[in-house]
Amino acid sequence: MKFVWKRRGFTLIELLVVIAIIAILAAILFPVFAQARDRARSASCLSNLKQMGTAWMMYAQDFDERFPTANPLGIWDHCPTMKDRGGYGGWIGNLLMPYTKNANVYTCPTNPKLNAVNRGTNCSPNADETLAKTQYGIQYLWTSYGYNYVALNNRGMSDIPRPADEIAIFDAISAWSDCGYMSSCGIWAQRDIPVWLYKENIPLANGMQNPVTSGWASNAVRSGPHSGQMNFMFADGHAKSSRWDKLTWGNLAGYVIPENDPDYNVPLNQRPRVTTWSGLQ
């Protein structure tokens, strides 16, 4: 007796069940993959800051324990000297470059083109990048990090009472912390801290400038790039991951606030009790 086997297709119900299972698995796994990718980027970013920390300390050892400072000719936007300029259109990474030997450490993979630095007529990212690199020896034109300029520029190890507490370079929405912290352009008034609080839905402290009314709210997508965390390098060269609400005024303004002052341990998301210290206003 001969049997004839007939091939039977899937029913609509079976197809719908399979599709539903795939959709459920995708909904579960995609966030996991995204978190894994974010953790990898955060680890790469932290590694960048650790390398900058090593370069920072090597520079200090070579220059009588002074932190990186150089502005050739004392003028702005001069392309021929830009690669040796730590400010005035350049950035602190220019002075660390001889020690890092790698310009990639100045950009975080999460926000690789966050802030334009090494600016000038022919050497800015808005001009000719190839010309900047080949003619002027500039190795990078973008950074993802900010430098605590107001606290550390023209300072040295002996000027900082607790260098392990003092933030030097960090994940930032601006390449510079270059004016009084409590002023209209300061970091507390309209930059990283209030923008991050806004992003995290944490109430703004009394007197803190609102990112919405000050025009900085659009930077919220770039703030706290690692699931709300930031990576910080400190003045002693070590680096760690943290959040603004876990740090204090002593971490940000350790030079301008004496370590024995009560404001040293006031969280950065709160207004310090005394605002007369040099650099705060």
Side-chain angles (χ1 to χ4, degrees):
M1 182 176 179
K2 185 176 181 180
F3 292 96
V4 178
W5 296 93
K6 294 183 178 180
R7 179 175 297 175
R8 185 175 68 87
F10 294 107
T11 66
L12 178 60
I13 296 299
E14 290 172 331
L15 287 173
L16 291 175
V17 169
V18 171
I19 292 172
I21 292 173
I22 293 174
I24 292 171
L25 290 174
I28 294 173
L29 293 177
F30 283 172
V32 174
F33 293 151
Q35 291 175 6
R37 183 177 63 177
D38 184 64
R39 284 194 296 269
R41 288 177 173 174
S42 179
S44 176
C45 175
L46 185 60
S47 175
N48 288 347
L49 285 168
K50 288 179 178 178
Q51 292 179 67
M52 280 187 270
T54 299
W56 173 273
M57 294 303 295
M58 292 172 68
Y59 181 102
Q61 290 171 7
D62 285 347
F63 291 90
D64 298 324
E65 297 191 344
R66 305 298 293 176
F67 298 136
T69 302
N71 290 297
L73 305 181
I75 59 178
W76 286 85
D77 297 339
H78 186 244
C79 290
T81 60
M82 192 65 70
K83 68 179 180 64
D84 301 314
R85 188 179 302 279
Y88 291 6
W91 197 65
I92 195 69
N94 294 351
L95 308 183
L96 302 180
M97 179 63 72
Y99 303 95
T100 63
K101 306 294 185 182
N102 179 9
N104 293 329
V105 301
Y106 305 128
T107 55
C108 170
T110 301
N111 294 317
K113 288 191 174 183
L114 190 59
N115 291 299
V117 292
N118 289 332
R119 295 170 294 183
T121 304
N122 295 314
C123 54
S124 72
N126 298 321
D128 190 333
E129 186 170 354
T130 301
L131 179 65
K133 293 182 177 180
T134 57
Q135 182 168 337
Y136 301 120
I138 297 169
Q139 297 299 309
Y140 69 102
L141 297 172
W142 301 88
T143 185
S144 309
Y145 305 104
Y147 174 50
N148 193 5
Y149 178 92
V150 69
L152 296 177
N153 190 54
N154 288 324
R155 313 297 181 199
M157 285 291 182
S158 61
D159 297 317
I160 309 300
R162 292 161 62 175
D165 289 350
E166 180 69 36
I167 296 170
I169 301 174
F170 56 99
D171 279 313
I173 60 175
S174 173
W176 299 97
S177 168
D178 55 2
C179 54
Y181 296 116
M182 306 296 291
S183 69
S184 62
C185 69
I187 190 170
W188 197 76
Q190 61 170 245
R191 289 185 182 172
D192 293 83
I193 297 173
V195 170
W196 179 82
L197 293 173
Y198 169 79
K199 176 181 179 180
E200 296 295 310
N201 294 314
I202 298 174
L204 300 179
N206 182 37
M208 184 178 287
Q209 197 164 11
N210 190 314
V212 175
T213 58
S214 63
W216 284 73
S218 60
N219 285 304
V221 296
R222 307 189 299 176
S223 177
H226 310 298
S227 299
Q229 295 278 118
M230 282 76 67
N231 292 316
F232 297 88
M233 187 209 93
F234 294 80
D236 70 338
H238 87 279
K240 73 173 185 178
S241 178
S242 188
R243 296 158 43 109
W244 283 120
D245 59 344
K246 301 298 181 183
L247 299 174
T248 74
W249 282 100
N251 293 131
L252 183 64
Y255 170 74
V256 296
I257 298 180
E259 61 176 327
N260 61 351
D261 188 86
D263 284 334
Y264 200 93
N265 293 313
V266 172
L268 280 171
N269 62 336
Q270 299 178 21
R271 177 182 285 275
R273 296 186 309 132
V274 180
T275 59
T276 57
W277 302 116
S278 173
L280 283 183
Q281 293 184 335

